[in-house]
Structure formats: structure tokens, C-alpha cells
């Protein structure tokens, strides 16, 4: 591209490494706020006033962070098939549990942004749940291909069409033909499984990182002087009247501004759209990887500046 030869493998490594750097900062902040200091009103007012609220949010966060940190490792564990499958199953289960916790919270307590925010966040939760459950079901349906990936040689292919049986052939020849036909079916099954599995995994990955992207959208908006909803926090409460509703009304209003509403569906629609293009158009993958690498580097720079 542009006369410059870029190694796709090393480009992928750079994308993963830069993603981990930014994710580490995000994970640290999240764990610090909600598990160490218990600052439940530090970002969103009223997020965890009751025990049930806190249990649901902590389950949602722990499962989400687990999946977010382990998902990139799956690419490099593909040769260790049993470990790859085991971690993959735990990631799917974690995201299903995260989605259930999030959807339960929304159904019981709603969101600070009201009905619109609840609907969009709920849609994202349903997408995550369906993708996680779908991947588990796909792997269960094509579980026989796991053995095929291990047993079959990379050079085996279904190109050989000489698999028709004949009464004139010997039992040994018929046995060889049967083996050849079985191999063809295995390759076809592997290809179908790989195509479906890859597509779902790309979409699942975008769903996992959608909440991450939501914070990034606000980070960029703040560069242009946009007031972030988190600017209203527990410190705005009058210490003598903690139940004052005025700060919460202000924060709720901020979540209902046009740009905030746009963020509430863009944070999962944009990553999903990009992954659909990435999975279907192979020529776009190198360009998208370069864009993502640049995006990660800018995010890290902005994070360092903000500190």
C-alpha cells in the first residue's frame, strides 16, 4: 500500500499492544472507582445506592472487564485449540452474565438518561447476549470440527472429486474412496464453521468493546469544550441535604442532549458496522488496522495529556 510493504502480523501485534495500554488505564479507573474507593456517585449519580444495584453493576463490570482483557489473547491461542476453546467459552459465558446483569439493572432501575438511553443500552445488551449465546450454540453444533482441526493436515482439500463408488472397485478401493469423501465433508464442515465462527467473533469483539468506545466518544467531545455528564457528581450534593435532587436533574438533562443521545446508539452501532465491513471485505482489513493503530496511539496521547 502506497509503495510501503507492511507486515500484517506485526501490525496486528501493535494494535493489540496499544489497545491493552489504553484498556489497562480504563480497567484501573473502573476497579478503583467501584471496587476500591466505592465512589458510586463519582461518575453517575444514584448508580449504586442499594445493595442490589451494586451487585448488578459489579457483576456487569467484572464480567465485561474479564472478556475485554482476554478477548485479544484468543488470536494467539488459536494453535492451542483446547485452551482457545476453554477461554472462549468463559468469555462467552462472562459476556452473557454481564448482559443479563445490565439488562436486569435497566429493567429494575432504568438509566439516568431516561427511556431513550434505557432503550439503546437495552438493545446493546440484547445484542451482546445473543452473540455470546449464538457463538456457544455454533460451537456446539459444529463441535465435531474441533477434532477435524487437530487431525486433518493443512494440505487436505476437497478438490479431489474422484469419490464416486463403483461395483467394479475392490473393497480396499471403496474404503479409500469412503475415506476421501469423509475428508471432503470434514473440510467443507471446517470451512463453513470457520466462516460463521469468524463473523460472529468479529461482531462479538465489537460488542465487548462498545462500552469502551462510549467513553472514548466523550473524551473526544470534551476536547471541543463539550460538558460531560460526569461533571455533575456527588460533590455537587449539599452535605446537609444528601437527598437533594437538583444535581441529579442536571445530570439527567445532560444525558438527553442531542449529541449525548447520538452517543447512546453510536457507541455500539459504529463498532458493529466497522466489524461487518472488516469481516466481509478482506481488502479493507489492512487499512482498518492502520486506522485502529493510529486511533489507539491518539487515545494514549490524550490520556497522558489529561493526566
Amino acid at each position: 500500500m502506497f509503495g510501503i510493504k507492511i507486515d500484517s502480523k506485526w501490525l496486528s501485534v501493535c494494535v493489540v499492544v496499544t489497545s491493552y495500554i489504553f484498556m489497562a488505564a480504563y480497567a484501573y479507573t473502573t476497579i478503583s472507582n467501584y471496587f476500591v474507593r466505592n465512589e458510586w456517585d463519582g461518575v453517575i449519580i444514584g448508580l449504586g445506592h442499594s445493595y442490589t444495584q451494586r451487585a448488578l453493576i459489579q457483576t456487569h463490570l467484572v464480567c465485561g472487564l474479564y472478556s475485554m482483557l482476554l478477548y485479544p489473547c484468543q488470536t494467539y491461542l488459536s494453535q492451542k485449540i483446547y485452551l482457545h476453546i476453554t477461554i472462549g467459552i468463559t468469555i462467552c459465558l462472562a459476556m452473557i452474565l454481564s448482559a443479563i446483569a445490565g439488562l436486569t439493572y435497566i429493567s429494575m432501575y432504568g438509566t439516568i438518561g431516561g427511556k431513550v438511553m434505557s432503550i439503546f443500552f437495552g438493545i446493546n445488551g440484547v445484542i451482546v447476549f445473543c452473540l455470546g449465546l449464538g457463538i456457544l450454540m455454533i460451537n456446539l453444533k459444529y463441535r465435531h470440527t474441533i477434532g477435524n482441526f487437530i487431525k486433518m493436515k493443512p494440505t487436505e482439500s476437497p478438490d479431489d472429486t474422484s469419490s464416486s463408488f463403483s461395483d467394479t472397485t475392490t473393497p480396499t478401493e471403496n474404503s479409500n474412496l469412503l475415506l476421501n469423501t469423509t475428508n471432503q465433508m470434514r473440510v467443507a464442515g471446517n470451512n463453513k464453521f470457520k466462516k460463521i465462527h469468524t463473523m460472529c467473533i468479529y461482531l462479538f469483539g465489537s460488542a465487548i468493546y462498545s462500552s469502551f468506545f462510549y467513553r472514548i466518544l466523550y473524551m473526544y467531545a470534551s476536547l471541543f469544550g463539550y460538558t460531560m455528564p460526569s461533571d455533575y457528581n456527588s460533590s455537587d450534593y449539599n452535605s446537609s441535604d444528601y437527598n437533594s435532587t437538583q444535581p441529579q436533574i442536571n445530570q439527567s438533562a445532560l444525558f438527553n442532549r442531542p449529541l449525548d443521545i447520538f452517543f447512546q446508539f453510536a457507541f455500539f452501532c459504529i463498532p458493529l458496522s466497522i466489524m461487518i465491513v472488516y469481516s466481509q471485505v478482506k481488502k479493507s482489513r489492512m487499512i482498518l488496522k492502520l486506522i485502529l493503530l493510529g486511533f489507539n496511539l491518539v487515545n494514549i496521547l490524550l490520556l497522558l495529556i489529561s493526566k
Side-chain angles (χ1 to χ4, degrees):
M1 186 173 59
F2 305 111
I4 301 175
K5 186 177 180 180
I6 301 175
D7 191 315
S8 178
K9 179 181 178 180
W10 283 106
L11 180 59
S12 298
V13 171
C14 291
V15 170
V16 170
V17 170
T18 53
S19 296
Y20 265 125
I21 293 173
F22 197 47
M23 281 190 297
Y26 173 66
Y28 172 80
T29 302
T30 301
I31 293 173
S32 177
N33 286 342
Y34 300 112
F35 294 90
V36 179
R37 297 197 300 265
N38 288 320
E39 293 182 353
W40 289 94
D41 290 313
V43 178
I44 297 177
I45 297 171
L47 184 66
H49 280 177
S50 71
Y51 174 80
T52 304
Q53 283 179 296
R54 295 189 181 192
L56 289 171
I57 291 297
Q58 287 180 332
T59 300
H60 177 71
L61 293 174
V62 167
C63 293
L65 289 174
Y66 172 86
S67 302
M68 184 182 293
L69 294 173
L70 284 185
Y71 178 83
C73 299
Q74 286 294 81
T75 302
Y76 305 100
L77 294 175
S78 57
Q79 300 302 318
K80 299 179 180 179
I81 190 68
Y82 292 114
L83 183 59
H84 176 86
I85 292 170
T86 301
I87 293 179
I89 290 174
T90 62
I91 290 175
C92 288
L93 292 175
M95 286 309 294
I96 290 173
L97 185 57
S98 178
I100 291 174
L103 290 170
T104 302
Y105 185 96
I106 292 173
S107 64
M108 292 178 63
Y109 305 104
T111 60
I112 194 169
K115 292 182 179 179
V116 175
M117 188 177 190
S118 296
I119 290 172
F120 286 136
F121 275 49
I123 291 173
N124 181 56
V126 171
I127 291 174
V128 172
F129 177 85
C130 291
L131 285 172
L133 185 61
I135 292 172
L136 288 178
M137 294 177 67
I138 289 170
N139 280 273
L140 182 63
K141 181 178 180 180
Y142 292 97
R143 61 188 180 278
H144 61 279
T145 63
I146 295 173
N148 297 342
F149 283 134
I150 299 172
K151 296 175 183 178
M152 293 183 64
K153 297 178 180 179
T155 55
E156 289 180 334
S157 71
D159 295 336
D160 187 359
T161 57
S162 58
S163 57
S164 58
F165 293 93
S166 173
D167 294 334
T168 61
T169 58
T170 65
T172 301
E173 290 174 331
N174 276 335
S175 178
N176 291 334
L177 289 172
L178 178 61
L179 180 60
N180 182 59
T181 302
T182 302
N183 284 340
Q184 291 182 43
M185 293 174 64
R186 285 179 176 178
V187 173
N190 287 348
N191 290 339
K192 185 176 181 181
F193 167 77
K194 185 177 180 181
K195 183 179 293 186
I196 298 174
H197 181 269
T198 302
M199 176 67 176
C200 289
I201 287 299
Y202 284 147
L203 296 179
F204 193 47
S206 68
I208 290 174
Y209 293 101
S210 59
S211 60
F212 190 49
F213 188 61
Y214 186 61
R215 275 73 177 177
I216 292 175
L217 288 173
Y218 272 110
M219 185 175 70
Y220 279 89
S222 65
L223 295 177
F224 299 94
Y226 194 75
T227 305
M228 299 177 67
S230 58
D231 289 346
Y232 287 85
N233 50 48
S234 58
S235 63
D236 294 306
Y237 281 106
N238 187 312
S239 58
S240 62
D241 184 15
Y242 186 77
N243 293 320
S244 172
T245 59
Q246 186 60 33
Q248 186 163 344
I249 293 174
N250 289 340
Q251 192 180 57
S252 178
L254 290 175
F255 276 110
N256 283 282
R257 295 171 299 179
L259 186 59
D260 294 77
I261 293 175
F262 170 75
F263 287 167
Q264 289 162 20
F265 75 88
F267 84 97
F268 65 91
C269 288
I270 291 177
L272 281 173
S273 301
I274 292 174
M275 282 297 101
I276 290 174
V277 173
Y278 183 88
S279 63
Q280 298 298 315
V281 185
K282 291 185 178 180
K283 293 183 179 180
S284 68
R285 294 181 182 179
M286 185 67 74
I287 297 175
L288 288 175
K289 284 181 182 179
L290 286 170
I291 293 175
L292 183 56
L293 177 59
F295 185 63
N296 285 343
L297 291 174
V298 172
N299 291 337
I300 294 172
L301 180 62
L302 291 176
L303 189 65
L304 292 173
I305 293 175
S306 64
K307 297 297 182 181

Short mmCIF file of all heavy atoms in Angstrom, two decimals, residues 29 46 126 139 178 181 202-203 242 259 277:
data_model
loop_
_atom_site.label_atom_id
_atom_site.label_comp_id
_atom_site.label_asym_id
_atom_site.label_seq_id
_atom_site.Cartn_x
_atom_site.Cartn_y
_atom_site.Cartn_z
N THR A 29 -9.14 2.53 36.34
CA THR A 29 -10.09 3.55 36.80
C THR A 29 -11.39 2.92 37.27
O THR A 29 -11.95 3.30 38.31
CB THR A 29 -10.37 4.55 35.66
OG1 THR A 29 -9.14 5.15 35.24
CG2 THR A 29 -11.33 5.63 36.13
N GLY A 46 -26.47 8.14 41.77
CA GLY A 46 -27.51 7.16 42.04
C GLY A 46 -27.28 5.81 41.40
O GLY A 46 -28.18 4.97 41.37
N VAL A 126 -28.99 -6.76 24.59
CA VAL A 126 -29.60 -7.89 23.88
C VAL A 126 -28.65 -8.41 22.80
O VAL A 126 -28.51 -9.63 22.60
CB VAL A 126 -30.95 -7.48 23.26
CG1 VAL A 126 -31.48 -8.57 22.33
CG2 VAL A 126 -31.97 -7.19 24.36
N ASN A 139 -20.59 -23.33 18.22
CA ASN A 139 -19.51 -24.26 18.57
C ASN A 139 -20.07 -25.63 18.97
O ASN A 139 -19.43 -26.66 18.70
CB ASN A 139 -18.68 -23.68 19.71
CG ASN A 139 -17.68 -22.66 19.24
OD1 ASN A 139 -16.57 -22.99 18.85
ND2 ASN A 139 -18.09 -21.39 19.24
N LEU A 178 -14.27 -43.94 0.39
CA LEU A 178 -15.07 -43.51 1.54
C LEU A 178 -14.28 -42.56 2.43
O LEU A 178 -14.79 -41.54 2.90
CB LEU A 178 -15.53 -44.73 2.34
CG LEU A 178 -16.35 -44.44 3.61
CD1 LEU A 178 -17.63 -43.70 3.24
CD2 LEU A 178 -16.66 -45.73 4.36
N THR A 181 -14.07 -39.20 0.70
CA THR A 181 -15.34 -38.48 0.82
C THR A 181 -15.52 -37.89 2.22
O THR A 181 -15.97 -36.76 2.38
CB THR A 181 -16.52 -39.43 0.51
OG1 THR A 181 -16.35 -39.98 -0.79
CG2 THR A 181 -17.84 -38.69 0.58
N TYR A 202 -15.97 -11.54 15.26
CA TYR A 202 -15.71 -10.13 14.97
C TYR A 202 -16.80 -9.25 15.57
O TYR A 202 -16.51 -8.22 16.21
CB TYR A 202 -15.65 -9.90 13.46
CG TYR A 202 -14.37 -10.37 12.80
CD1 TYR A 202 -14.37 -10.86 11.50
CD2 TYR A 202 -13.15 -10.32 13.47
CE1 TYR A 202 -13.19 -11.30 10.89
CE2 TYR A 202 -11.98 -10.75 12.88
CZ TYR A 202 -12.01 -11.24 11.59
OH TYR A 202 -10.85 -11.66 10.99
N LEU A 203 -18.06 -9.64 15.38
CA LEU A 203 -19.16 -8.86 15.92
C LEU A 203 -19.16 -8.88 17.44
O LEU A 203 -19.44 -7.88 18.09
CB LEU A 203 -20.49 -9.40 15.38
CG LEU A 203 -20.70 -9.30 13.88
CD1 LEU A 203 -22.05 -9.90 13.48
CD2 LEU A 203 -20.62 -7.85 13.40
N TYR A 242 -28.27 15.39 51.53
CA TYR A 242 -27.72 14.47 50.53
C TYR A 242 -28.79 14.01 49.54
O TYR A 242 -28.49 13.62 48.42
CB TYR A 242 -27.12 13.24 51.23
CG TYR A 242 -26.41 12.31 50.30
CD1 TYR A 242 -25.13 12.62 49.83
CD2 TYR A 242 -27.01 11.14 49.85
CE1 TYR A 242 -24.47 11.78 48.95
CE2 TYR A 242 -26.36 10.30 48.97
CZ TYR A 242 -25.08 10.62 48.53
OH TYR A 242 -24.43 9.78 47.65
N LEU A 259 -26.40 15.38 21.16
CA LEU A 259 -25.15 14.66 20.96
C LEU A 259 -25.03 13.47 21.90
O LEU A 259 -24.52 12.41 21.51
CB LEU A 259 -23.95 15.60 21.15
CG LEU A 259 -22.58 15.00 20.81
CD1 LEU A 259 -22.53 14.54 19.36
CD2 LEU A 259 -21.46 16.01 21.07
N VAL A 277 -17.87 -4.67 7.94
CA VAL A 277 -17.03 -4.37 6.77
C VAL A 277 -15.72 -5.15 6.84
O VAL A 277 -15.28 -5.74 5.85
CB VAL A 277 -16.75 -2.85 6.68
CG1 VAL A 277 -15.75 -2.56 5.55
CG2 VAL A 277 -18.04 -2.08 6.45
#
